[in-house]
Amino acid sequence: MIQEKYISWGNYGSPIRELSAYAARRAKEIGAENVYDFTLGAPSAEPPKKVLDTFRRLQEELTPTQLFTYAPSPGMESTRERVAQYLRGSFGIPYAKEDVYMTHGAAGALSMAVAALVSPGEEVLTTAPCYTEYHVYVEHAGGKMNVAPCLPDTFQFDAEGFEKALTPKTVLVILNSPNNPSGAVLSRESIEALSALLHRKSAEYGHPIYILADEPYRELVYGGVEVPFIPAFYENTVYAYSFSKSMSLPGCRIGFVAVSPRMENHKNVRAAIIGAARAMGFICLPPIFQLLVEECIGEVADLSVYDDNRTLIYDSLTAMGYTCVKPDGAFYLFLKTPGESSEVFCKRALEKDIVLVPGDAFRCSGYARLSYCVPNERIRRSLPAFAELAAEYGLSKD
């Protein structure tokens, strides 16, 4: 019989994608310049010059067979070795090529890792706000998704609330830093506290609790903020990464998952991820994108455009009376919604053709996500509409 959970996910897709599709339809009706679409986290910065030049050169130099052949299922050996070398050099952990599996972006890495580490009836814990698709990956594996609150004034780790949410059935914790949607970066103190807690609880429960570190926004930070490398603090960490944001390559769908060589059950976890990828069909990434990563890993797009947008939108909205925590990373502003629920606020924003994503989608009601990885001019054009909305809610200006 057809599985009901797939029917449900198919009929009720990602709210981000649905709102983005609405914005596209509305743009056809009234013109794109009149729609203030802040839905998608799609990078607007150009890829680094070296990335563009390398891509063109590879197209010219590679034979058709080299361009279009099947790559090995876990990725090309030379690419995996280059990724492992980069991790060793950057973070001092002795990853080998066998610890790396090239994936279809961070989404592929996350879904594979969850499928490998979670059995039916087991529990996964993350913090709110969290990425919308985590629950799909967990429920697909037969697990249960639990969410612990963050500290509302900073979106940092709330040790007391997190410990209350842990149970003997918890086998995996998903951490996303810099965070989508809040832009918060987990501090070294937060990660040290979490590591100590999970070591204690693993011993108490008699089984390891793994961390899945979701870090596609690692390089997108402002003002020199540190992004601690979680596997350096907690041995039982699987690391998921995508080049979509750092290199501005979202359509290439290329990332990787890396299993810490210091991990308990290291070889079995590595084998389980390979097996999950096989079962889910996440194999044989296009050779050209792997070779692109191999030559360009470490290259980062010009992120100053996002910092300019961050300053403009944060300063402008807070001056109008809106409340939000200034993001340290990623390219999202998590706006505290005035008045009614976030759903109602976002519907009222739609009346002014401001398209935001309600915080309920991120398991955090009372907020709305605004993606500021958009042309600066779109932000500027949207400000009068935001001001009108603030006036309707009686927000006070500075």
Side-chain angles (χ1 to χ4, degrees), residues 40-122:
L40 290 181
S44 57
E46 277 202 358
K49 183 178 184 300
K50 180 179 178 180
V51 172
L52 295 174
D53 291 345
T54 302
F55 184 70
R56 296 187 186 102
R57 178 175 55 77
L58 289 172
Q59 286 180 298
E60 293 173 356
E61 291 183 356
L62 298 179
T63 67
T65 299
Q66 290 173 314
L67 276 172
F68 305 120
T69 191
Y70 281 123
S73 293
M76 299 173 67
E77 186 171 319
S78 59
T79 304
R80 293 160 59 217
E81 173 54 43
R82 180 68 187 95
V83 171
Q85 181 187 51
Y86 180 80
L87 292 174
R88 291 194 301 269
S90 298
F91 307 112
I93 296 177
Y95 289 95
K97 64 179 181 292
E98 292 81 9
D99 301 322
V100 175
Y101 193 110
M102 303 305 297
T103 65
H104 295 71
L110 293 167
S111 56
M112 287 161 47
V114 170
L117 295 171
V118 180
S119 296
E122 293 180 332

Side-chain angles (χ1 to χ4, degrees), residues 53-370:
D53 291 345
T54 302
F55 184 70
R56 296 187 186 102
R57 178 175 55 77
L58 289 172
Q59 286 180 298
E60 293 173 356
E61 291 183 356
L62 298 179
T63 67
T65 299
Q66 290 173 314
L67 276 172
F68 305 120
T69 191
Y70 281 123
S73 293
M76 299 173 67
E77 186 171 319
S78 59
T79 304
R80 293 160 59 217
E81 173 54 43
R82 180 68 187 95
V83 171
Q85 181 187 51
Y86 180 80
L87 292 174
R88 291 194 301 269
S90 298
F91 307 112
I93 296 177
Y95 289 95
K97 64 179 181 292
E98 292 81 9
D99 301 322
V100 175
Y101 193 110
M102 303 305 297
T103 65
H104 295 71
L110 293 167
S111 56
M112 287 161 47
V114 170
L117 295 171
V118 180
S119 296
E122 293 180 332
E123 297 179 2
V124 177
L125 183 59
T126 192
T127 56
C130 61
Y131 180 54
T132 57
E133 297 300 280
Y134 286 166
H135 78 97
V136 176
Y137 307 146
V138 172
E139 291 169 17
H140 177 262
K144 178 185 176 184
M145 186 82 214
N146 295 324
V147 181
C150 285
L151 296 173
D153 295 334
T154 61
F155 292 116
Q156 284 295 321
F157 175 61
D158 179 356
E160 183 178 350
F162 197 90
E163 182 168 3
K164 288 180 180 177
L166 286 168
T167 80
K169 292 184 178 181
T170 304
V171 296
L172 179 66
V173 169
I174 303 178
L175 297 180
N176 175 217
S177 176
N179 179 261
N180 172 12
S182 71
V185 178
L186 283 176
S187 67
R188 178 179 290 262
E189 292 75 20
S190 290
I191 294 172
E192 287 174 342
L194 175 61
S195 177
L197 173 61
L198 293 185
H199 278 124
R200 178 162 56 85
K201 286 296 183 179
S202 294
E204 179 183 331
Y205 298 154
H207 62 76
I209 300 173
Y210 297 99
I211 287 179
L212 176 54
D214 176 20
E215 294 196 2
Y217 301 96
R218 161 165 282 277
E219 293 81 7
L220 275 72
V221 291
Y222 312 102
V225 171
E226 179 194 20
V227 183
F229 188 63
I230 294 173
F233 294 82
Y234 191 73
E235 299 85 351
N236 287 335
T237 297
V238 175
Y239 185 73
Y241 184 81
S242 167
F243 297 94
S244 295
K245 317 299 182 182
S246 59
M247 289 189 190
S248 289
L249 299 175
C252 294
R253 307 306 303 141
I254 185 160
F256 65 85
V257 61
V259 178
S260 173
R262 300 171 176 172
M263 176 181 290
E264 187 175 346
N265 300 324
H266 166 244
K267 290 185 178 179
N268 283 342
V269 170
R270 202 168 64 184
I273 288 175
I274 294 171
R278 180 182 177 188
M280 301 168 82
F282 290 161
I283 58 174
C284 308
L285 282 172
I288 191 169
F289 297 142
Q290 296 193 57
L291 291 171
L292 186 65
V293 163
E294 188 176 319
E295 293 199 30
C296 297
I297 190 168
E299 292 290 318
V300 178
D302 179 7
L303 306 181
S304 63
V305 293
Y306 303 139
D307 200 6
D308 292 344
N309 285 358
R310 177 184 74 124
T311 299
L312 173 61
I313 193 65
Y314 176 82
D315 289 351
S316 299
L317 294 190
T318 54
M320 294 175 193
Y322 293 101
T323 301
C324 56
V325 175
K326 190 169 186 177
D328 286 326
F331 37 49
Y332 306 107
L333 194 73
F334 208 43
L335 189 68
K336 190 169 179 59
T337 54
E340 311 100 325
S341 70
S342 53
E343 294 278 356
V344 172
F345 174 82
C346 289
K347 286 180 180 178
R348 291 184 66 172
L350 278 180
E351 294 172 5
K352 301 186 184 302
D353 290 303
I354 303 171
V355 192
L356 309 172
V357 182
D360 305 73
F362 305 97
R363 304 291 184 98
C364 198
S365 61
Y367 293 84
R369 190 190 79 169
L370 181 154

